[in-house]
Amino acid sequence: MTEAIPAYELAQVNISRFQAPLDSPQLKDFVDNLDPVNADAEAADGFVWRLLSESGNATDVSVFDDPWLIVNMSVWRDTRALTAYLYQGRHREMLTRRREWFEQVKEAMTTLWWVPKGHRPTVAEAEARLLHLRAHGPTPYAFTLRTSFPQGSAEPVPGEVPNGLGRPV
């Protein structure tokens, strides 16, 4: 008997508000590490897709019509694959330095949701999911790694996010 092929993949969006212009000396280390971190993601087990503009990254993609926001959006096989990438290696190192480059905000800036296999989410879709999470907390429509939902379920699944790296909703 063969194992069923999942009908869904995991979409994630993460937005951040810069403390300084992208071309400033303050953000140089962040900018210098974008390509290597993105290459690590693309080589990671379970990576499916990431948002790119014609520039080859997403630093010039507008989100919420705010020029001080940067968006990262990708699709993964599942939450395990995304978590494995997020909290190890170069990405973890950059994540621990995020306060050097980005404002600390109180509202949710990251959300996850299931998409049909092969679907590539739009920025408008990501904005809607993030606003839903902010208004309603984690639901099957928009959730977090700390409170995730399996495909087709309304029951939350507790996630494991290393202390100091995740942000509560």
Side-chain angles (χ1 to χ4, degrees):
M1 188 170 200
T2 60
E3 193 173 311
I5 298 173
Y8 293 91
E9 296 169 322
L10 183 72
Q12 75 80 30
V13 67
N14 172 9
I15 63 173
S16 299
R17 180 180 297 283
F18 289 124
Q19 290 183 9
L22 190 61
D23 60 355
S24 68
Q26 181 178 346
L27 270 69
K28 183 177 183 342
D29 279 351
F30 171 77
V31 171
D32 288 350
N33 279 283
L34 273 175
D35 288 340
V37 167
N38 287 333
D40 291 348
E42 291 173 352
D45 181 45
F47 172 84
V48 176
W49 170 88
R50 72 181 175 93
L51 178 66
L52 295 171
S53 70
E54 290 186 18
S55 68
N57 60 48
T59 58
D60 56 349
V61 174
S62 176
V63 61
F64 290 117
D65 293 323
D66 185 337
W68 286 90
L69 290 176
I70 187 171
V71 63
N72 171 289
M73 186 164 50
S74 55
V75 175
W76 294 79
R77 180 183 58 232
D78 53 33
T79 56
R80 284 186 184 150
L82 175 60
T83 302
Y85 165 71
L86 288 177
Y87 300 116
Q88 67 179 350
R90 192 177 351 238
H91 188 271
R92 181 184 175 107
E93 292 170 22
M94 300 305 290
L95 192 58
T96 62
R97 295 181 61 195
R98 68 188 178 276
R99 287 184 179 85
E100 294 176 35
W101 308 305
F102 303 109
E103 291 180 9
Q104 191 170 1
V105 295
K106 296 194 187 305
E107 60 194 0
M109 300 291 272
T110 301
T111 194
L112 311 170
W113 68 101
W114 294 105
V115 295
K117 191 169 185 164
H119 175 72
R120 301 301 171 246
T122 65
V123 171
E125 183 180 344
E127 290 172 338
R129 301 283 179 152
L130 190 53
L131 290 174
H132 182 87
L133 177 69
R134 289 174 180 176
H136 304 286
T139 68
Y141 183 79
F143 51 91
T144 67
L145 282 175
R146 287 195 189 274
T147 306
S148 65
F149 291 80
Q151 302 172 30
S153 171
E155 294 300 318
V157 176
E160 292 185 26
V161 177
N163 289 334
L165 291 179
R167 183 170 302 177
V169 177

